């Protein structure tokens, strides 16, 4: 590879990380939210999302941990989750998060999922096709990346000429100014590995960054009596200890929702981070990232191995609990 | 046949004490006898404190923290009530409670003071009135120190430390309760 730098052609390089089982369907008409997301600004506030049906309900696809942790109190209040995703294409597919079958764009699905995990969080939508800079909101910020940036394998990360969008995201993860929840990928390879001559350079760029979390998918939510396994499609942590130490897994129960892929793991991590941030209002993104990573469970996973599961299955209740109390 | 009515009201403590002292002074010259009226353990506040011990949660390590150890008292608040008779129809009701405490709550010792008086509207009937006031006996829940690792150490409500509520917010839900401070009792007895 001789090029000194590589500018991503966004139309070709953006790859949403829902597994192939989630079938794309043609859109009938753009919804109101999508219309707001078009144009140069590309940040859309979720005020127009009809979320009333989705709030405050624990769904069967969620970890039992969520139900256990949801008590009276905050559920992401004061935290902003920015979903960097597809909010403008004509590609839509069907699924059901427990509130009825819907046909939506990829970003609308991931946004809905995050809002169901952290119903009090402010959810913003950033259409990734614009490539424009991602601004942060006041307070704690969580960025959800349920997509990858693929191109020919063999470049080094510093050869990539990032668009302002990814450059800002990578910068936030490097400086620790926002938590970045990144879908690990659906090629059943180690994070950062090439597949069919292609590589996710966004994964590579986030390795070793203090507030980056790679989200892998389990086929079910794990319990100590019914241990979970990595979903067949999910990328795994691999042998790189920098990835292992920032890799979490969560259940993506596609058999209940019709939605598969690590695209739907990342919003769960984003929602957890928002809930933790709403409890520890003075905590930094680095502290919250470490809290999630350090409290992950390994006893709910079948044959736990850090090269597969990284730090383990994210546990909201343990992340909220004290280390010690007296 | 007996009819009874209880009225629990909010008469002020000062008025009650004045009345009690007045009754006592007018009868000072007489021989007073004191009788044990009641001995019992427990109270609504004891029950409430014991109820705080239900439940628990896991720490980050997964080890279980049961609330029982924080809210189990080895001694249950004991109340002793006495009646010092001043005249055939008047007496001073008084007594005390020992209080109780566990690691994370305390019920203060209490002192009860009041009077009992009765009249006979006719030979077959008696109308009794007693008023008592309790000083002390408050239930106070104590906070815990919770270590959240990198996220800091906070003073928290022990029972809510693992929930979603911000640590400092949990302190709002510490139990602080007073016993029934004034008890007015009216009794009418008709014998036939």
């Amino acid at each position: 590879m001789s090029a000194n730098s590589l500018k991503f052609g966004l139309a070709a390089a953006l790859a949403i990380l829902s597994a192939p089982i989630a079938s794309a369907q043609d859109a009938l008409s753009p919804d109101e939210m999508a219309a707001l997301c078009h144009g140069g600004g590309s940040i859309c506030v979720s005020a127009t999302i009809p979320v009333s049906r989705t709030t405050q309900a624990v769904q069967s696809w969620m970890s039992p941990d969520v139900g256990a942790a949801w008590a009276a109190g905050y559920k992401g209040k004061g935290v902003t989750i920015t979903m960097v995703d597809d909010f403008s294409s004509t590609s839509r597919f069907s699924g059901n998060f427990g509130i009825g079958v819907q046909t939506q764009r990829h970003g609308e699905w991931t946004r809905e999922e995050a809002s169901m995990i952290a119903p009090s969080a402010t959810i913003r939508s950033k259409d990734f096709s614009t490539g424009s800079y991602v601004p942060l909101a006041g307070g704690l910020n969580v960025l959800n990346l349920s997509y990858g940036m693929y191109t020919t394998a063999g470049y080094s990360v510093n050869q990539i000429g990032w668009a302002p969008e990814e450059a800002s995201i990578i910068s936030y993860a490097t400086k620790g100014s926002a938590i970045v929840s990144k879908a690990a990928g659906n090629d059943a390879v180690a994070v950062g590995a090439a597949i069919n001559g292609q590589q996710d350079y966004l994964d590579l760029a986030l390795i070793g960054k203090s507030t980056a979390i790679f989200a892998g998918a389990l086929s079910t939510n794990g319990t100590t009596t019914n241990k979970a396994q990595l979903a067949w499609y999910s990328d795994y942590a691999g042998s790189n200890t920098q990835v292992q130490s920032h890799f979490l897994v969560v259940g993506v129960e596609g058999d209940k929702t019709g939605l598969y892929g690590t695209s739907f793991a990342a919003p769960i991590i984003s929602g957890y981070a928002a809930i933790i941030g709403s409890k520890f209002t003075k905590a930094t993104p680095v502290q919250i990232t470490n809290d999630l990573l350090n409290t992950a469970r390994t006893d709910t996973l079948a044959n736990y191995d850090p090269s597969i599961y990284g730090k383990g299955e994210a546990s909201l209740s343990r992340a909220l609990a004290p280390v010690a109390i007296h | 046949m007996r009819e009874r009515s209880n009225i629990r009201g909010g008469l002020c403590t000062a008025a009650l004490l004045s009345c009690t002292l007045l009754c006592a002074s007018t009868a000072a010259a007489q021989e007073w006898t004191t009788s044990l009226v009641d001995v019992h353990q427990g109270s609504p506040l004891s029950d409430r404190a014991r109820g705080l011990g239900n439940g628990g949660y896991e720490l980050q390590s997964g080890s279980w923290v049961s609330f029982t150890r924080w809210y189990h008292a080895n001694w249950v608040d004991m109340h002793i009530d006495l009646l010092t008779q001043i005249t055939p129809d008047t007496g001073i009701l008084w007594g005390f409670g020992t209080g109780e405490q566990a690691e994370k709550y305390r019920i203060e010792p209490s002192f009860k003071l009041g009077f009992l008086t009765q009249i006979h509207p006719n030979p077959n009937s008696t109308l009794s009135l007693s008023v008592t006031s309790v000083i002390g006996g408050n239930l106070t829940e104590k906070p815990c120190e919770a270590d959240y690792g990198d996220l800091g150490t906070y003073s928290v409500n022990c029972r809510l430390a693992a929930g979603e509520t911000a640590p400092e917010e949990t302190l709002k839900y510490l139990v602080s309760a007073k016993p029934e401070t004034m008890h007015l009792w009216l009794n009418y007895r008709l014998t036939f």
Side-chain angles (χ1 to χ4, degrees):
Chain A
M1 200 69 61
S2 58
N4 289 328
S5 68
L6 175 69
K7 183 77 173 177
F8 272 115
L10 290 174
L14 285 167
I16 56 179
L17 297 177
S18 55
I21 290 174
S23 59
Q25 297 183 5
D26 288 337
L28 296 174
S29 61
D31 64 19
E32 184 184 3
M33 193 67 217
L36 286 173
C37 290
H38 282 303
S42 75
I43 286 283
C44 317
V45 179
S46 63
T48 58
I49 302 173
V51 294
S52 57
R53 289 179 301 162
T54 69
T55 54
Q56 310 295 318
V58 178
Q59 301 292 341
S60 64
W61 54 268
M62 294 178 182
S63 166
D65 202 38
V66 175
W70 273 16
Y74 306 108
K75 297 179 173 68
K77 187 177 180 183
V79 179
T80 301
I81 304 175
T82 300
M83 312 298 294
V84 184
D85 213 310
D86 167 28
F87 295 98
S88 61
S89 79
T90 57
S91 175
R92 301 184 183 198
F93 50 91
S94 298
N96 184 352
F97 272 134
I99 56 173
V101 175
Q102 297 169 281
T103 301
Q104 305 189 103
R105 296 182 183 91
H106 188 272
E108 291 157 354
W109 278 118
T110 56
R111 182 179 64 198
E112 184 169 273
E113 185 181 24
S115 72
M116 292 175 79
I117 296 290
S120 299
T122 299
I123 312 286
R124 302 202 307 184
S125 307
K126 167 74 171 68
D127 192 277
F128 64 14
S129 67
T130 66
S132 60
Y133 169 82
V134 180
L136 297 183
L140 184 74
N141 283 268
V142 182
L143 306 181
N144 188 87
L145 314 180
S146 290
Y147 70 100
M149 296 293 280
Y150 286 83
T151 193
T152 309
Y155 293 101
S156 70
V157 171
N158 56 20
Q159 286 180 290
I160 305 298
W162 294 108
E165 185 171 71
E166 282 69 35
S168 59
I169 293 167
I170 295 164
S171 170
Y172 298 143
T174 304
K175 295 174 184 171
S177 47
I179 299 158
V180 177
S181 177
K182 166 73 171 71
N186 300 323
D187 299 310
V189 298
V191 169
I195 176 85
N196 299 327
Q198 296 281 305
Q199 205 159 12
D200 181 354
Y201 283 90
L202 191 50
D203 269 354
L204 286 178
L206 291 172
I207 291 173
K209 302 298 187 278
S210 60
T211 52
I213 299 175
F214 298 103
L218 300 169
S219 51
T220 59
N221 291 297
T223 65
T224 52
T225 54
N226 190 15
K227 296 178 189 288
Q229 293 186 318
L230 198 71
W232 60 271
Y233 52 79
S234 178
D235 283 6
Y236 47 87
S239 58
N240 185 337
T241 54
Q242 284 189 307
V243 175
Q244 290 179 8
S245 64
H246 282 252
F247 188 95
L248 292 173
V249 287
V250 292
V252 177
E253 300 198 340
D255 55 329
K256 294 175 181 169
T257 63
L259 301 166
Y260 295 83
T262 56
S263 278
F264 303 107
I268 295 174
I269 297 294
S270 295
Y272 287 3
I275 290 172
I276 297 165
S278 70
K279 172 167 179 169
F280 300 103
T281 52
K282 295 173 185 168
T284 65
V286 173
Q287 289 174 319
I288 290 171
T289 302
N290 290 338
D291 186 41
L292 266 170
L293 292 166
N294 293 335
T295 56
R297 298 184 66 161
T298 58
D299 59 345
T300 57
L301 301 171
N303 304 315
Y304 168 72
D305 180 342
S307 69
I308 297 174
Y309 300 111
K311 295 288 284 182
E313 183 174 9
S315 170
L316 178 58
S317 62
R318 291 200 176 175
L320 293 169
V323 175
I325 188 165
H326 59 269
Chain B
M1 194 177 85
R2 190 163 80 173
E3 293 178 13
R4 173 183 288 185
S5 63
N6 284 322
I7 303 169
R8 295 176 180 185
L11 298 178
C12 73
T13 305
L16 171 64
L17 291 175
S18 301
C19 183
T20 304
L21 292 172
L22 179 63
C23 293
S25 63
T26 56
Q30 299 180 23
E31 184 179 345
W32 292 2
T33 59
T34 298
S35 308
L36 183 64
V37 175
D38 184 35
V39 177
H40 67 273
Q41 276 191 294
S43 67
L45 288 188
S46 276
D47 294 342
R48 186 170 174 185
R50 206 165 7 263
L52 301 177
N54 297 325
Y57 47 71
E58 287 184 347
L59 298 177
Q60 284 192 7
S61 63
S63 59
W64 180 255
V65 175
S66 169
F67 298 159
T68 305
R69 67 185 171 99
W70 288 328
Y71 298 97
H72 175 72
N74 291 324
W75 171 261
V76 178
D77 192 11
M78 175 178 276
H79 295 265
I80 297 174
D81 294 338
L82 302 158
L83 172 65
T84 298
Q85 188 173 357
I86 301 168
T87 71
D89 290 322
T90 308
I92 297 172
L93 282 167
W94 61 286
F96 58 88
T98 61
E100 66 180 61
Q101 64 179 341
E103 187 177 343
K104 292 301 175 188
Y105 79 89
R106 179 171 187 255
I107 297 176
E108 300 170 337
S110 61
F111 179 66
K112 178 189 284 187
L113 184 62
F115 72 91
L116 169 68
T117 186
Q118 62 183 11
I119 57 173
H120 303 280
N122 60 59
N124 296 330
S125 65
T126 304
L127 180 63
S128 306
L129 170 69
S130 75
V131 180
T132 57
S133 178
V134 174
I135 301 166
N138 295 341
L139 165 63
T140 307
E141 187 180 9
K142 302 173 186 174
C144 282
E145 282 290 310
D147 174 9
Y148 291 98
D150 289 346
L151 297 169
T153 299
Y154 295 86
S155 180
V156 296
N157 183 319
C158 308
R159 296 171 290 116
L160 303 178
E164 295 183 7
T165 307
E168 54 271 29
E169 294 289 312
T170 64
L171 296 175
K172 292 179 184 174
Y173 303 101
L174 288 172
V175 172
S176 177
K178 294 181 177 179
E180 184 181 61
T181 54
M182 184 72 73
H183 186 197
L184 188 149
W185 185 72
L186 189 63
N187 174 267
Y188 177 71
R189 186 174 64 193
L190 177 64
T191 305
F192 58 92

